[in-house]
Amino acid sequence: MSVTEMFTYIQGFLSADQDVREDIRKVVQILEQTAREMLTVLQSVHQPSGFKEIPSKCAKARELFCTVRTQIADLKTKFPVEQYYRFHEHWRFVLQRLAFLAAFVVYLESESLVTREEVAQILGIEVVREKGFHLDVEDYLAGVLIMASELSRLAVNSVTAGDYNRPLRISNFINELDSGFRLLNLKNDPLRKRYDGLKYDVKKIEEVVYDLSIRGLAKESESGADK
Amino acid sequence: MKRREGEGCPQKNSADTAQDRELSASPSSPVIAAFKVFQQELDTKHDKYERLVKISRDITIESKRTIFLLHRVTSVPDAEDVLNEADVKLDGVRQKIGQIAEELRGEDIHQFHRAFTPGIQEYVEAVSFLHYIRHRSLVSLEEINVRLVFVRTEKADAKDSAEALPLGAQVLTFQVTPSDYLLGVADLTGELMRMCISSVGNGDIDTPFQLSQFLRQIHDGFSYIGNTGPYEVSKKLHTLRQSLGKVEDACYTLRVRGSEIPKHMLADVFSSRTTLIDPEEGVV
């Protein structure tokens, strides 16, 4: 094979690769749009009026997840499934966002941590790599960490809205999350950087809880927690 | 009442740490149980990654040594010996690539690609250098991949019979990706430039012209790819231009000076040139 032939072959490979990436980018852009819409819907729980409407907001977000499922199904068709990690960078960010949104919705509904299986189910994807388009464990954890900072914000705003019990529940939840993350041996990677921010969220929520308890505002739940 | 609440915070904190301890002690909490699973999964992945990095580093070192060995070809009377020795060394490298293939069995090759790409590029460089010295042509991606097929008979046999698989021996393949190939070839040009200069130093007048021809072809190939390739390619293109410039300069000098200086003195002209060129040369 001559040099020219070889380079022509490689060029063909590279341009095919670029076409695939172009397709993926287009779908991911649409996916990002939906994720932003959903975020806007959920952001409104921070409004004083939003606290009463949490169930309806969650229902609306759940509806949007249907759109997400079809869009992800579309994304799946754009590349061979065994090459997931070759193009992973393209959807990593949006998948983390979606994991966060799913976790946030589940928290608002049931005040529990969403499992990786649940997130995968909500997004219409798999958990194990062998079965196809899946949710990488690091992306799931990153999504959970985004939720933690959102919850610290929620704790502050729920006090403003007059809901004094929620911060205590959030505090318990975040503490559990924190001790969970402490079990992990993270490398010096993006996930680790994000995890480093968790302690500030914990601190913020503890401050809120402190403010509440020092003023006797968290009376009922405090006595409830003690006994 | 007030006192009790004043203590609320420290109380709360101690309650939290107690809760923490309790949580990490008892796997009954679903969150902790889940994170224990994640811990294992992440550790397994990181361990595999580290092992691959280590293998890749070994491959890099061995390939570099092979390249140094091949540079001796120009100054040794019987080149065939050196080439055979290089072949043996590369066989060792291939064994290591076999280890990579084994680690990657059942995995997504792209997930760990970053761990071993430097080694593979270096291997491509060594193999293509050897191939050029032997055949004066560019080794193709296919020719490289064909040699990266590994058959595991020992141990796999027992496992196979245990798992009742029809195959007696297991065949593992490793595919060099086109971009790794491309980057390896880009590195090759640096070696060719060195070879050109040193061969002139040995009074070899033909090799530089062949090399400049070959380098020009590769350069044209890279210009054809241009910026459609990965980002690193455009970076290497710059160094490639420099190498080509040096080789072309050498050929130019050979032509001009060759007509006026007696052959045995040409070597002196170039040995003073090499000292000028070598320090600039950053690519190995």
Side-chain angles (χ1 to χ4, degrees):
Chain A
M1 200 184 254
S2 81
V3 176
T4 327
E5 275 166 0
M6 197 59 227
F7 275 94
T8 316
Y9 166 72
I10 301 255
Q11 215 283 327
F13 169 83
L14 288 174
S15 56
D17 185 73
Q18 270 197 334
D19 290 347
V20 174
R21 283 175 198 275
E22 204 58 49
D23 282 351
I24 291 175
R25 255 195 290 269
K26 271 182 210 143
V27 183
V28 167
Q29 251 168 26
I30 302 170
L31 205 53
E32 275 169 350
Q33 178 61 39
T34 322
R36 274 197 298 271
E37 268 171 49
M38 207 181 315
L39 188 63
T40 323
V41 169
L42 289 175
Q43 286 287 332
S44 56
V45 300
H46 292 291
Q47 311 274 341
S49 59
F51 276 88
K52 293 165 213 97
E53 294 162 21
I54 285 178
S56 72
K57 301 282 180 207
C58 290
K60 210 169 163 204
R62 288 267 183 189
E63 266 170 47
L64 281 168
F65 271 120
C66 292
T67 327
V68 167
R69 272 197 288 273
T70 54
Q71 281 162 359
I72 289 183
D74 191 24
L75 176 61
K76 284 182 203 166
T77 61
K78 300 297 178 201
F79 65 97
V81 70
E82 71 279 2
Q83 300 188 352
Y84 180 89
Y85 282 100
R86 186 158 148 211
F87 307 109
H88 188 195
E89 291 305 312
H90 292 293
W91 58 74
R92 178 166 230 168
F93 178 78
V94 71
L95 209 56
Q96 288 176 359
R97 285 263 132 190
L98 288 169
F100 148 61
L101 291 165
F104 196 40
V105 168
V106 169
Y107 179 80
L108 289 175
E109 284 170 353
S110 63
E111 307 220 335
S112 63
L113 178 65
V114 70
T115 62
R116 194 172 156 204
E117 287 76 15
E118 271 177 277
V119 179
Q121 199 204 333
I122 291 172
L123 300 180
I125 56 182
E126 301 291 338
V127 178
V128 263
R129 188 179 65 81
E130 282 78 11
K131 283 191 186 155
F133 194 96
H134 68 288
L135 179 66
D136 190 271
V137 67
E138 292 187 32
D139 291 341
Y140 163 75
L141 292 173
V144 170
L145 285 173
I146 303 175
M147 178 184 65
S149 57
E150 193 66 22
L151 286 182
S152 76
R153 224 186 114 204
L154 188 68
V156 172
N157 289 329
S158 59
V159 173
T160 319
D163 184 348
Y164 300 139
N165 282 323
R166 191 178 286 275
L168 297 174
R169 296 198 303 271
I170 292 180
S171 169
N172 279 335
F173 179 73
I174 292 273
N175 272 315
E176 199 178 4
L177 215 55
D178 187 42
S179 41
F181 270 100
R182 244 176 273 163
L183 286 177
L184 305 180
N185 310 309
L186 296 174
K187 287 216 302 185
N188 208 359
D189 56 5
L191 185 61
R192 159 75 190 281
K193 255 178 227 151
R194 196 161 260 159
Y195 164 68
D196 288 342
L198 182 62
K199 57 176 178 279
Y200 300 110
D201 300 328
V202 173
K203 185 171 167 243
K204 182 95 176 250
I205 296 169
E206 274 174 2
E207 277 168 8
V208 172
V209 171
Y210 171 75
D211 283 340
L212 288 177
S213 44
I214 203 170
R215 288 171 183 83
L217 290 171
K219 202 171 61 184
E220 320 105 88
S221 66
E222 181 81 337
S223 55
D226 277 356
K227 276 160 201 170
Chain B
M1 173 90 179
K2 200 155 191 204
R3 229 179 81 83
R4 214 189 127 258
E5 274 150 17
E7 282 168 5
C9 183
Q11 231 176 22
K12 180 81 196 137
N13 272 347
S14 64
D16 273 353
T17 43
Q19 194 189 25
D20 265 10
R21 243 176 287 131
E22 188 197 324
L23 284 172
S24 39
S26 74
S28 55
S29 153
V31 174
I32 299 301
F35 273 86
K36 284 215 167 113
V37 177
F38 298 150
Q39 178 196 44
Q40 265 192 348
E41 193 175 336
L42 285 174
D43 283 353
T44 321
K45 203 169 103 184
H46 291 161
D47 287 350
K48 188 176 277 261
Y49 191 89
E50 288 309 320
R51 281 198 300 276
L52 284 169
V53 168
K54 204 163 162 284
I55 300 174
S56 159
R57 218 164 269 163
D58 289 345
I59 292 176
T60 311
I61 293 168
E62 231 7 70
S63 304
K64 270 205 176 115
R65 282 190 189 145
T66 314
I67 290 167
F68 278 116
L69 176 73
L70 285 171
H71 273 300
R72 249 174 272 156
V73 158
T74 46
S75 55
V76 167
D78 46 344
E80 202 49 41
D81 272 0
V82 176
L83 292 183
N84 288 337
E85 199 187 331
D87 244 342
V88 172
K89 266 181 184 284
L90 284 180
D91 273 334
V93 176
R94 274 190 278 273
Q95 284 311 309
K96 293 215 166 66
I97 296 180
Q99 288 173 23
I100 292 188
E102 208 154 342
E103 287 280 358
L104 290 177
R105 192 188 329 193
E107 299 281 351
D108 186 334
I109 170 169
H110 300 285
Q111 187 176 10
F112 298 98
H113 187 239
R114 272 230 312 254
F116 56 81
T117 172
I120 296 302
Q121 286 177 29
E122 208 66 34
Y123 170 72
V124 170
E125 183 180 345
V127 163
S128 53
F129 194 32
L130 176 63
H131 186 93
Y132 178 76
I133 294 173
R134 270 225 175 103
H135 308 287
R136 303 277 146 171
S137 66
L138 181 65
V139 68
S140 74
L141 181 56
E142 229 169 299
E143 284 169 274
I144 291 180
N145 279 336
V146 158
R147 302 195 71 173
L148 296 178
V149 175
F150 310 95
V151 182
R152 292 267 179 276
T153 33
E154 10 73 69
K155 197 166 73 171
D157 259 334
K159 217 168 120 196
D160 277 358
S161 55
E163 287 167 17
L165 282 173
L167 278 169
Q170 223 161 354
V171 179
L172 285 173
T173 56
F174 184 88
Q175 297 277 314
V176 175
T177 63
S179 20
D180 279 347
Y181 171 79
L182 206 57
L183 294 169
V185 169
D187 290 338
L188 167 73
T189 56
E191 301 306 325
L192 293 177
M193 183 272 290
R194 274 180 176 209
M195 185 183 165
C196 166
I197 303 299
S198 65
S199 65
V200 178
N202 290 312
D204 185 349
I205 309 292
D206 297 330
T207 312
F209 291 101
Q210 284 172 9
L211 276 169
S212 76
Q213 188 76 18
F214 185 61
L215 273 182
R216 230 170 273 144
Q217 277 176 4
I218 291 185
H219 177 261
D220 293 348
F222 271 98
S223 324
Y224 176 61
I225 283 172
N227 56 4
T228 51
Y231 162 71
E232 297 99 308
V233 170
S234 34
K235 253 191 343 195
K236 298 220 168 168
L237 193 58
H238 179 68
T239 348
L240 171 55
R241 275 223 173 93
Q242 281 182 329
S243 302
L244 181 63
K246 282 173 200 168
V247 172
E248 283 177 343
D249 275 355
C251 290
Y252 167 81
T253 320
L254 271 180
R255 266 282 178 267
V256 175
R257 306 296 292 275
S259 54
E260 57 189 30
I261 303 185
K263 260 195 184 144
H264 64 276
M265 284 174 73
L266 253 178
D268 296 337
V269 174
F270 272 91
S271 43
S272 60
R273 275 184 65 87
T274 18
T275 47
L276 263 177
I277 286 164
D278 261 344
E280 288 176 48
E281 217 263 306
V283 188
V284 184

